[in-house]
Amino acid sequence: MTMIEKVARAIRDAFPHQMVGSRPKPTWDQLSDGDREVWRNMARAALAAMRVPTEGMIEAGHAPWAKFGKDAAVRPSEIADLWENMIDFALAEKPT
């Protein structure tokens, strides 16, 4: 399962229980391809919004490296680059 699909399912699951007529909300697998794509588009938007990390995220990502001292030092800009590369990969990942 791609990250897009994981996020799409999580967003959909976060919505309050909905009834469709007298039937309960359909499962992910019961949705039409078009309906699943709507949720995937929301997931893409959410991931794209997360692409550039906040300063706090960069600091949090840098903290584990800092404990190893100067020899293992990683610049905060490198942490940001790693994060952006991971989000870019998630956005471009194709289902297998």
Side-chain angles (χ1 to χ4, degrees):
M1 179 182 312
T2 66
M3 184 56 66
I4 294 290
E5 186 154 326
K6 286 180 186 181
V7 173
R9 288 174 182 238
I11 291 170
R12 182 176 179 275
D13 289 347
F15 273 72
H17 182 75
Q18 299 169 329
M19 296 294 283
V20 179
S22 61
R23 299 182 318 259
K25 178 169 74 172
T27 66
W28 179 263
D29 293 331
Q30 292 171 329
L31 294 173
S32 70
D33 290 340
D35 287 343
R36 284 193 298 267
E37 192 59 26
V38 168
W39 293 104
R40 287 187 197 107
N41 286 336
M42 287 186 229
R44 286 183 191 97
L47 284 171
M50 294 175 53
R51 185 176 179 278
V52 177
T54 64
E55 288 298 319
M57 292 168 69
I58 293 169
E59 290 172 15
H62 187 258
W65 294 99
K67 72 180 178 184
F68 294 112
K70 290 183 179 180
D71 293 340
V74 176
R75 292 188 307 269
S77 64
E78 293 171 319
I79 299 296
D81 289 344
L82 289 170
W83 176 261
E84 290 172 12
N85 288 339
M86 289 186 286
I87 295 295
D88 287 347
F89 177 86
L91 288 167
E93 190 175 16
K94 303 291 183 216
T96 56

